[in-house]
Amino acid sequence: MEKTYDVVVAGASNAGAMAAMAAAEKGAKVLLIDKMGSSEYLFRSFFAALDSNAQRRAGIKVDKAKLMNFLTLFYQGNVDERLLWTWANHTDETANWLEDNIMKPHGAVLKTQPDSHYETIVNTAFNTELALATPEDDWAHYGAWMIAKVKELGVTLKYNTKLEELVTDAGGKVTGIIASDRNSGAKTEYQASKGVIICTGGYGANVELMKKWDPLGYKKNVYSDGPRDDGSGILAGLKVGAARDEEPAEIIFDRGAVPVGTDAEDHYVIDFKDNGYFWMGAYPLLKVNLNGERFENESVPYQFDTNAAAKQPGYLEAAIWSEETMDHLAQFRTQGCSRLGFPGIYNTEENKAEIQRRIDDGMVQKADTIEELAEKLNLPKDQLSATVKEFNKMCSQGQDTDLGKEKFRLFPVENGPYYGVIFGGRLLATLDGLRINTKMEVIDKKGHAIPHLYAAGNASGGFFWGSYPDRVPGLTCSHAQTFGRLAGQSAAEN
């Protein structure tokens, strides 16, 4: 097999595929590798943009300055603001390229979300979401189309090939990689005359790195949904002098149902399947700690909920609701993938079917009385009963005088049957990685670019900090694909 290329890209999903295609469009000879046997199912279905063609058709334009100020406030200055603006100034062109080159040839579209309703500062939201959809309002599973385009552009794609280490010359310039074959273990050196781009994702599947770099994330997440994310690309960059974000960043869903009695500190299941999936966790239901006490305004971003629960006994919480609640989910007006109906994940009947699956596997408990439910959840009966009574009183009055939940998100738990579940966080991905500049060049601790080394997607850093701003739906996918595209262009221009 050919071993000499202009650009080598490690990681063949959102960032990597975009990087490879962008480099190839500029005439570079490109090798794209991935450590697993496929990557088609990894391409995310929500893309954030501000003034894309799809948004213009819908009469939507996001205020760029307002969004940038919001993100700066959200991150408390702990990111490189130049990267935020680089994304904002290039995401629309990436969205338009995606629609014109990937969606339209297959009869698909980028579809805007209807609105971004919010009433409080903590829920400040932006109508950034573009769903990759069919004209019939179904999901466009476009991964196969992306891979086909990669090949159409002449990129050499090699699966079951893992980046092991970077090769540098005497001056520190990256000249290629050493990769291993997943099946045989044999190692091969591939030369890259223009650059290597690391797009290998985060480290959520590496327990040792989680304990070292994100110890609280290891405790508060009961599932990790990215089994490929072993941190290998980040580690390879560190070995050649790259700087790394010093504080963790994560994207977490509050949707990880666990059996009653679970010790969250010892429960970290790594899988991409729907083990314990609890979609309603992202809804502002009545939520209590393991002592049966309400402890937060449940009307907060997904990860804020998980963060708050991590400050409670056992790093877990319980959601309490009734049969009636499941017929009134539309009133909560959630965003992104938690939205009821397309472009969300479930409609009412699909959600009820999921809850039944969780009942069948013992995660969700169902009871005729709150006292019986408390017993099944191993919560204090008297305290849970008092909490539900007080919550229902505030719902009837239309004002949450305890914790300030908005009126439109108050729904009582007063008629059985009743449901409850113990749950924690689902880590979608870690978002702290190798530090980069606005050309996507990996930098060292002095801020100097490491020649011919680039990074994009979740392996790159400087863009996220702490919690993920889910009120800017589609941001992770857009960050990965936009920065992947910029990295490919930068490398090809060397």
Side-chain angles (χ1 to χ4, degrees):
M1 180 179 175
E2 179 66 49
K3 297 179 182 178
T4 302
Y5 296 87
D6 296 323
V7 176
V8 173
V9 183
S13 59
N14 294 279
M18 272 293 191
M21 289 187 285
E25 284 180 325
K26 284 190 169 291
K29 181 181 178 182
V30 182
L31 170 65
L32 175 62
I33 67 171
D34 193 279
K35 61 177 172 284
M36 303 303 288
S38 67
S39 59
E40 294 179 5
Y41 67 91
L42 296 175
F43 291 87
R44 306 301 294 175
S45 298
F46 292 106
F47 189 99
L50 310 181
D51 189 28
S52 64
N53 291 338
Q55 288 161 306
R56 291 186 177 191
R57 293 194 299 268
I60 295 169
K61 183 176 182 179
V62 178
D63 186 324
K64 183 187 297 186
K66 182 180 179 181
L67 175 56
M68 291 299 99
N69 278 304
F70 167 79
L71 288 174
T72 301
L73 175 63
F74 190 93
Y75 295 138
Q76 300 177 47
N78 286 289
V79 297
D80 187 337
E81 292 179 38
R82 296 168 296 183
L83 293 178
L84 299 182
W85 280 91
T86 298
W87 167 78
N89 291 331
H90 291 278
T91 184
D92 294 326
E93 65 192 53
T94 306
N96 295 340
W97 185 94
L98 184 65
E99 184 171 51
D100 291 342
N101 293 274
I102 305 297
M103 297 290 105
K104 287 181 179 179
H106 295 276
V109 296
L110 294 181
K111 183 178 177 64
T112 59
Q113 66 174 356
D115 59 36
S116 54
H117 178 80
Y118 69 93
E119 295 181 3
T120 60
I121 292 174
V122 73
N123 280 321
T124 300
F126 296 85
N127 205 348
T128 55
E129 178 183 87
L130 299 175
L132 291 98
T134 68
E136 297 76 31
D137 284 353
D138 197 1
W139 295 111
H141 300 290
Y142 67 108
W145 307 341
M146 292 284 278
I147 297 304
K149 187 67 174 180
V150 163
K151 295 177 180 178
E152 177 188 319
L153 288 169
V155 174
T156 298
L157 175 59
K158 190 171 177 59
Y159 282 115
N160 296 306
T161 305
K162 180 181 179 180
L163 168 65
E164 294 291 347
E165 58 184 293
L166 299 165
V167 179
T168 59
D169 64 15
K173 181 175 72 175
V174 173
T175 59
I177 68 167
I178 294 176
S180 63
D181 182 273
R182 180 185 175 197
N183 299 313
S184 69
K187 293 184 177 181
T188 303
E189 180 174 340
Y190 296 100
Q191 296 178 350
S193 62
K194 291 179 175 290
V196 172
I197 308 175
I198 298 175
C199 301
T200 50
Y203 57 89
N206 188 321
V207 170
E208 294 307 312
L209 288 181
M210 283 295 295
K211 290 180 177 180
K212 179 180 179 181
W213 290 343
D214 189 8
L216 181 56
Y218 176 74
K219 293 178 181 179
K220 68 186 176 184
N221 287 293
V222 289
Y223 298 100
S224 177
D225 289 347
R228 304 160 64 108
D229 294 344
D230 61 2
S232 55
I234 298 173
L235 293 171
L238 294 177
K239 288 180 180 179
V240 297
R244 186 186 71 83
D245 287 334
E246 296 185 65
E247 295 179 290
E250 316 147 314
I251 176 169
I252 296 174
F253 280 166
D254 49 351
R255 305 178 192 178
V258 293
V260 175
T262 293
D263 181 348
E265 292 190 65
D266 292 325
H267 190 284
Y268 191 75
V269 177
I270 301 171
D271 202 336
F272 67 91
K273 300 178 182 177
D274 67 346
N275 291 333
Y277 202 91
F278 175 54
W279 174 72
M280 281 177 62
Y283 276 67
L285 309 172
L286 170 60
K287 296 176 181 178
V288 300
N289 63 20
L290 299 186
N291 291 328
E293 304 161 331
R294 190 167 175 238
F295 61 93
E296 64 165 347
N297 176 350
E298 302 92 342
S299 183
V300 292
Y302 313 148
Q303 193 162 335
F304 285 20
D305 179 29
T306 302
N307 293 345
K311 306 302 185 293
Q312 299 300 309
Y315 303 96
L316 297 170
E317 60 186 313
I320 310 295
W321 72 97
S322 68
E323 186 79 33
E324 190 177 8
T325 307
M326 293 192 288
D327 290 320
H328 290 81
L329 294 178
Q331 86 168 54
F332 295 120
R333 301 191 68 175
T334 55
Q335 284 200 95
C337 61
S338 73
R339 181 185 292 273
L340 186 70
F342 192 85
I345 297 175
Y346 294 130
N347 59 35
T348 296
E349 294 309 312
E350 288 168 333
N351 174 58
K352 288 183 177 180
E354 183 204 277
I355 294 302
Q356 185 58 55
R357 289 195 296 273
R358 298 289 80 85
I359 292 173
D360 293 342
D361 64 22
M363 303 287 190
V364 169
Q365 304 300 320
K366 182 178 181 181
D368 293 326
T369 66
I370 292 296
E371 292 76 14
E372 180 188 0
L373 184 64
E375 186 173 346
K376 288 186 174 182
L377 293 172
N378 197 26
L379 301 177
K381 291 183 184 180
D382 291 345
Q383 181 59 62
L384 184 62
S385 296
T387 298
V388 171
K389 182 178 180 180
E390 176 64 18
F391 181 75
N392 288 342
K393 178 182 177 181
M394 292 187 294
C395 288
S396 66
Q397 294 173 344
Q399 185 178 8
D400 180 359
T401 54
D402 285 350
L403 293 166
K405 185 187 294 186
E406 306 98 314
K407 181 179 180 179
F408 79 96
R409 285 185 160 175
L410 289 172
F411 195 88
V413 186
E414 56 188 2
N415 298 308
Y418 301 101
Y419 298 81
V421 63
I422 307 296
F423 69 107
R426 302 192 78 94
L427 177 66
L428 275 73
T430 58
L431 304 175
D432 47 298
L434 302 173
R435 298 300 305 275
I436 58 173
N437 60 25
T438 57
K439 295 181 179 180
M440 309 302 118
E441 295 172 311
V442 175
I443 59 176
D444 62 21
K445 291 182 178 181
K446 293 183 179 181
H448 300 148
I450 297 175
H452 289 200
L453 181 61
Y454 303 82
N458 297 344
S460 67
F463 191 90
F464 296 102
W465 174 80
S467 300
Y468 176 73
D470 66 54
R471 290 345 189 219
V472 189
L475 185 58
T476 44
C477 176
S478 180
H479 164 256
Q481 294 194 11
T482 300
F483 280 15
R485 187 163 172 77
L486 292 175
Q489 293 171 343
S490 293
E493 290 169 355
N494 272 330

